[in-house]
Short mmCIF file of all heavy atoms in Angstrom, two decimals:
data_model
loop_
_atom_site.label_atom_id
_atom_site.label_comp_id
_atom_site.label_asym_id
_atom_site.label_seq_id
_atom_site.Cartn_x
_atom_site.Cartn_y
_atom_site.Cartn_z
N LEU Y 225 -58.70 71.41 26.81
CA LEU Y 225 -59.13 70.87 25.53
C LEU Y 225 -60.27 71.71 24.96
O LEU Y 225 -61.30 71.89 25.60
CB LEU Y 225 -59.61 69.43 25.71
CG LEU Y 225 -58.61 68.47 26.37
CD1 LEU Y 225 -59.27 67.11 26.60
CD2 LEU Y 225 -57.35 68.33 25.53
N LYS Y 226 -60.07 72.21 23.75
CA LYS Y 226 -61.13 72.95 23.07
C LYS Y 226 -61.94 71.97 22.24
O LYS Y 226 -61.66 71.71 21.08
CB LYS Y 226 -60.52 74.05 22.19
CG LYS Y 226 -59.85 75.15 22.99
CD LYS Y 226 -59.35 76.28 22.11
CE LYS Y 226 -58.73 77.39 22.93
NZ LYS Y 226 -58.23 78.51 22.09
N ILE Y 227 -62.95 71.41 22.88
CA ILE Y 227 -63.78 70.40 22.24
C ILE Y 227 -65.18 70.46 22.84
O ILE Y 227 -65.35 70.68 24.04
CB ILE Y 227 -63.16 68.99 22.43
CG1 ILE Y 227 -63.89 67.96 21.58
CG2 ILE Y 227 -63.12 68.58 23.90
CD1 ILE Y 227 -63.17 66.62 21.50
N THR Y 228 -66.19 70.29 22.01
CA THR Y 228 -67.57 70.36 22.48
C THR Y 228 -68.07 68.98 22.89
O THR Y 228 -67.50 67.95 22.51
CB THR Y 228 -68.50 70.91 21.38
OG1 THR Y 228 -68.54 69.97 20.30
CG2 THR Y 228 -67.98 72.25 20.86
N HIS Y 229 -69.15 68.97 23.65
CA HIS Y 229 -69.77 67.71 24.06
C HIS Y 229 -70.29 66.96 22.83
O HIS Y 229 -70.24 65.72 22.79
CB HIS Y 229 -70.93 67.98 25.03
CG HIS Y 229 -70.49 68.66 26.30
ND1 HIS Y 229 -71.34 68.81 27.38
CD2 HIS Y 229 -69.32 69.21 26.66
CE1 HIS Y 229 -70.69 69.45 28.35
NE2 HIS Y 229 -69.47 69.71 27.92
N GLU Y 230 -70.75 67.70 21.83
CA GLU Y 230 -71.23 67.09 20.59
C GLU Y 230 -70.10 66.37 19.85
O GLU Y 230 -70.28 65.27 19.32
CB GLU Y 230 -71.84 68.16 19.68
CG GLU Y 230 -72.50 67.61 18.43
CD GLU Y 230 -73.78 66.86 18.74
OE1 GLU Y 230 -74.54 67.27 19.63
OE2 GLU Y 230 -74.00 65.83 18.06
N GLN Y 231 -68.93 66.99 19.82
CA GLN Y 231 -67.78 66.36 19.17
C GLN Y 231 -67.36 65.08 19.88
O GLN Y 231 -67.03 64.08 19.24
CB GLN Y 231 -66.61 67.35 19.12
CG GLN Y 231 -66.81 68.49 18.14
CD GLN Y 231 -65.72 69.53 18.24
OE1 GLN Y 231 -65.35 69.95 19.34
NE2 GLN Y 231 -65.19 69.97 17.11
N ILE Y 232 -67.37 65.12 21.20
CA ILE Y 232 -67.01 63.92 21.97
C ILE Y 232 -68.02 62.82 21.71
O ILE Y 232 -67.67 61.65 21.53
CB ILE Y 232 -66.94 64.23 23.48
CG1 ILE Y 232 -65.80 65.22 23.77
CG2 ILE Y 232 -66.74 62.95 24.30
CD1 ILE Y 232 -65.75 65.69 25.21
N ALA Y 233 -69.29 63.19 21.67
CA ALA Y 233 -70.35 62.20 21.38
C ALA Y 233 -70.13 61.54 20.02
O ALA Y 233 -70.32 60.33 19.87
CB ALA Y 233 -71.72 62.89 21.43
N SER Y 234 -69.69 62.33 19.04
CA SER Y 234 -69.42 61.78 17.70
C SER Y 234 -68.26 60.80 17.73
O SER Y 234 -68.28 59.78 17.06
CB SER Y 234 -69.12 62.92 16.72
OG SER Y 234 -70.27 63.72 16.52
N HIS Y 235 -67.24 61.11 18.51
CA HIS Y 235 -66.10 60.20 18.62
C HIS Y 235 -66.49 58.89 19.28
O HIS Y 235 -66.03 57.81 18.87
CB HIS Y 235 -64.98 60.85 19.45
CG HIS Y 235 -64.12 61.80 18.69
ND1 HIS Y 235 -63.29 61.39 17.67
CD2 HIS Y 235 -63.95 63.15 18.80
CE1 HIS Y 235 -62.65 62.44 17.19
NE2 HIS Y 235 -63.04 63.52 17.84
N LEU Y 236 -67.35 58.97 20.28
CA LEU Y 236 -67.66 57.80 21.10
C LEU Y 236 -68.96 57.09 20.70
O LEU Y 236 -69.31 56.07 21.30
CB LEU Y 236 -67.72 58.20 22.58
CG LEU Y 236 -66.40 58.76 23.14
CD1 LEU Y 236 -66.57 59.15 24.61
CD2 LEU Y 236 -65.27 57.75 23.00
N GLY Y 237 -69.66 57.62 19.72
CA GLY Y 237 -70.85 56.94 19.22
C GLY Y 237 -72.02 56.95 20.18
O GLY Y 237 -72.73 55.96 20.31
N THR Y 238 -72.24 58.08 20.83
CA THR Y 238 -73.34 58.18 21.78
C THR Y 238 -74.04 59.52 21.64
O THR Y 238 -73.72 60.31 20.74
CB THR Y 238 -72.82 57.99 23.23
OG1 THR Y 238 -73.94 57.86 24.12
CG2 THR Y 238 -71.93 59.15 23.66
N ALA Y 239 -75.00 59.79 22.50
CA ALA Y 239 -75.73 61.05 22.45
C ALA Y 239 -75.01 62.13 23.24
O ALA Y 239 -74.33 61.84 24.23
CB ALA Y 239 -77.15 60.85 22.99
N ARG Y 240 -75.18 63.38 22.81
CA ARG Y 240 -74.54 64.50 23.50
C ARG Y 240 -74.97 64.57 24.96
O ARG Y 240 -74.16 64.86 25.85
CB ARG Y 240 -74.89 65.81 22.79
CG ARG Y 240 -74.30 67.06 23.47
CD ARG Y 240 -74.81 68.32 22.82
NE ARG Y 240 -76.26 68.40 22.85
CZ ARG Y 240 -76.96 68.78 23.92
NH1 ARG Y 240 -76.36 69.08 25.07
NH2 ARG Y 240 -78.27 68.84 23.86
N GLU Y 241 -76.24 64.25 25.23
CA GLU Y 241 -76.75 64.33 26.59
C GLU Y 241 -76.01 63.36 27.52
O GLU Y 241 -75.79 63.65 28.70
CB GLU Y 241 -78.25 64.05 26.61
CG GLU Y 241 -79.11 65.08 25.91
CD GLU Y 241 -79.10 64.94 24.40
OE1 GLU Y 241 -78.59 63.91 23.90
OE2 GLU Y 241 -79.59 65.86 23.71
N VAL Y 242 -75.66 62.19 26.99
CA VAL Y 242 -74.93 61.19 27.78
C VAL Y 242 -73.55 61.73 28.14
O VAL Y 242 -73.09 61.58 29.29
CB VAL Y 242 -74.81 59.87 27.00
CG1 VAL Y 242 -73.96 58.86 27.76
CG2 VAL Y 242 -76.19 59.29 26.72
N VAL Y 243 -72.89 62.35 27.18
CA VAL Y 243 -71.57 62.94 27.42
C VAL Y 243 -71.66 64.05 28.46
O VAL Y 243 -70.86 64.11 29.40
CB VAL Y 243 -70.96 63.49 26.11
CG1 VAL Y 243 -69.67 64.25 26.40
CG2 VAL Y 243 -70.72 62.36 25.13
N THR Y 244 -72.63 64.93 28.30
CA THR Y 244 -72.80 66.06 29.23
C THR Y 244 -73.03 65.57 30.65
O THR Y 244 -72.44 66.09 31.61
CB THR Y 244 -73.98 66.94 28.78
OG1 THR Y 244 -73.70 67.48 27.48
CG2 THR Y 244 -74.20 68.09 29.76
N ARG Y 245 -73.87 64.57 30.80
CA ARG Y 245 -74.18 64.04 32.13
C ARG Y 245 -72.93 63.47 32.79
O ARG Y 245 -72.67 63.72 33.97
CB ARG Y 245 -75.27 62.97 32.00
CG ARG Y 245 -75.77 62.44 33.34
CD ARG Y 245 -77.10 61.72 33.18
NE ARG Y 245 -77.04 60.63 32.23
CZ ARG Y 245 -77.67 60.62 31.06
NH1 ARG Y 245 -78.40 61.65 30.68
NH2 ARG Y 245 -77.58 59.56 30.26
N MET Y 246 -72.12 62.72 32.03
CA MET Y 246 -70.92 62.11 32.61
C MET Y 246 -69.85 63.16 32.90
O MET Y 246 -69.14 63.08 33.91
CB MET Y 246 -70.38 61.03 31.68
CG MET Y 246 -69.30 60.16 32.32
SD MET Y 246 -69.85 59.33 33.84
CE MET Y 246 -71.10 58.22 33.17
N LEU Y 247 -69.74 64.17 32.04
CA LEU Y 247 -68.76 65.23 32.28
C LEU Y 247 -69.12 66.02 33.54
O LEU Y 247 -68.24 66.44 34.30
CB LEU Y 247 -68.69 66.17 31.08
CG LEU Y 247 -67.92 65.65 29.86
CD1 LEU Y 247 -68.08 66.61 28.68
CD2 LEU Y 247 -66.43 65.46 30.18
N LYS Y 248 -70.40 66.23 33.76
CA LYS Y 248 -70.82 66.92 34.98
C LYS Y 248 -70.47 66.09 36.22
O LYS Y 248 -70.10 66.64 37.26
CB LYS Y 248 -72.33 67.22 34.93
CG LYS Y 248 -72.68 68.33 33.97
CD LYS Y 248 -74.18 68.62 33.95
CE LYS Y 248 -74.50 69.78 33.03
NZ LYS Y 248 -75.96 70.06 32.97
N TYR Y 249 -70.59 64.77 36.10
CA TYR Y 249 -70.18 63.89 37.19
C TYR Y 249 -68.67 64.03 37.43
O TYR Y 249 -68.22 64.15 38.58
CB TYR Y 249 -70.53 62.44 36.86
CG TYR Y 249 -69.87 61.43 37.77
CD1 TYR Y 249 -70.30 61.26 39.09
CD2 TYR Y 249 -68.80 60.65 37.32
CE1 TYR Y 249 -69.68 60.35 39.93
CE2 TYR Y 249 -68.18 59.74 38.15
CZ TYR Y 249 -68.62 59.60 39.46
OH TYR Y 249 -68.01 58.70 40.30
N PHE Y 250 -67.89 64.03 36.35
CA PHE Y 250 -66.43 64.21 36.48
C PHE Y 250 -66.13 65.56 37.14
O PHE Y 250 -65.20 65.67 37.95
CB PHE Y 250 -65.77 64.15 35.10
CG PHE Y 250 -65.64 62.76 34.53
CD1 PHE Y 250 -65.09 62.56 33.27
CD2 PHE Y 250 -66.06 61.64 35.24
CE1 PHE Y 250 -64.95 61.28 32.73
CE2 PHE Y 250 -65.94 60.36 34.71
CZ PHE Y 250 -65.40 60.19 33.46
N GLN Y 251 -66.89 66.58 36.79
CA GLN Y 251 -66.68 67.91 37.37
C GLN Y 251 -66.99 67.90 38.86
O GLN Y 251 -66.24 68.47 39.67
CB GLN Y 251 -67.55 68.95 36.66
CG GLN Y 251 -67.34 70.37 37.18
CD GLN Y 251 -68.04 71.41 36.32
OE1 GLN Y 251 -67.42 72.21 35.64
NE2 GLN Y 251 -69.36 71.40 36.33
N ASN Y 252 -68.06 67.25 39.23
CA ASN Y 252 -68.42 67.16 40.65
C ASN Y 252 -67.36 66.41 41.45
O ASN Y 252 -67.19 66.67 42.66
CB ASN Y 252 -69.78 66.47 40.81
CG ASN Y 252 -70.92 67.30 40.28
OD1 ASN Y 252 -70.82 68.53 40.19
ND2 ASN Y 252 -72.02 66.65 39.92
N GLU Y 253 -66.65 65.50 40.79
CA GLU Y 253 -65.59 64.73 41.43
C GLU Y 253 -64.26 65.49 41.43
O GLU Y 253 -63.25 64.98 41.92
CB GLU Y 253 -65.41 63.38 40.73
CG GLU Y 253 -66.57 62.43 40.88
CD GLU Y 253 -66.78 61.99 42.32
OE1 GLU Y 253 -65.80 61.50 42.92
OE2 GLU Y 253 -67.89 62.14 42.83
N GLY Y 254 -64.24 66.69 40.86
CA GLY Y 254 -63.04 67.50 40.84
C GLY Y 254 -62.01 67.08 39.80
O GLY Y 254 -60.84 67.47 39.89
N VAL Y 255 -62.45 66.30 38.81
CA VAL Y 255 -61.52 65.80 37.79
C VAL Y 255 -61.38 66.79 36.63
O VAL Y 255 -60.29 66.94 36.07
CB VAL Y 255 -62.00 64.44 37.25
CG1 VAL Y 255 -61.05 63.91 36.18
CG2 VAL Y 255 -62.10 63.43 38.38
N VAL Y 256 -62.48 67.44 36.26
CA VAL Y 256 -62.45 68.39 35.15
C VAL Y 256 -63.18 69.67 35.55
O VAL Y 256 -63.92 69.71 36.52
CB VAL Y 256 -63.12 67.80 33.88
CG1 VAL Y 256 -62.45 66.51 33.46
CG2 VAL Y 256 -64.62 67.60 34.09
N LYS Y 257 -62.94 70.71 34.73
CA LYS Y 257 -63.68 71.96 34.87
C LYS Y 257 -64.29 72.27 33.51
O LYS Y 257 -63.58 72.30 32.50
CB LYS Y 257 -62.75 73.11 35.30
CG LYS Y 257 -63.46 74.45 35.42
CD LYS Y 257 -62.48 75.54 35.82
CE LYS Y 257 -63.18 76.90 35.90
NZ LYS Y 257 -62.22 77.99 36.25
N LEU Y 258 -65.60 72.49 33.48
CA LEU Y 258 -66.31 72.68 32.22
C LEU Y 258 -66.63 74.15 31.99
O LEU Y 258 -67.13 74.84 32.88
CB LEU Y 258 -67.61 71.88 32.22
CG LEU Y 258 -67.50 70.37 32.50
CD1 LEU Y 258 -68.88 69.75 32.54
CD2 LEU Y 258 -66.62 69.70 31.46
N THR Y 259 -66.30 74.63 30.81
CA THR Y 259 -66.74 75.93 30.33
C THR Y 259 -67.22 75.73 28.90
O THR Y 259 -67.04 74.68 28.31
CB THR Y 259 -65.60 76.98 30.36
OG1 THR Y 259 -64.48 76.47 29.64
CG2 THR Y 259 -65.18 77.28 31.80
#
């Protein structure tokens, strides 16, 4: 998916930092890979 953390935050009505923190958790769990 070509999408930024800021764009996801806009969709979900939250702060970019909250999205980044949760995505890093997903990455640590082996669910996603972030670039």
Side-chain angles (χ1 to χ4, degrees):
L225 306 175
K226 293 184 178 180
I227 189 169
T228 66
H229 298 190
E230 186 70 38
Q231 288 173 314
I232 295 174
S234 293
H235 279 294
L236 299 179
T238 190
R240 178 186 58 79
E241 294 78 11
V242 175
V243 173
T244 299
R245 186 163 57 247
M246 192 57 66
L247 283 173
K248 287 181 177 178
Y249 167 74
F250 284 178
Q251 182 171 248
N252 292 336
E253 293 295 306
V255 179
V256 303
K257 178 182 178 181
L258 305 177
T259 54

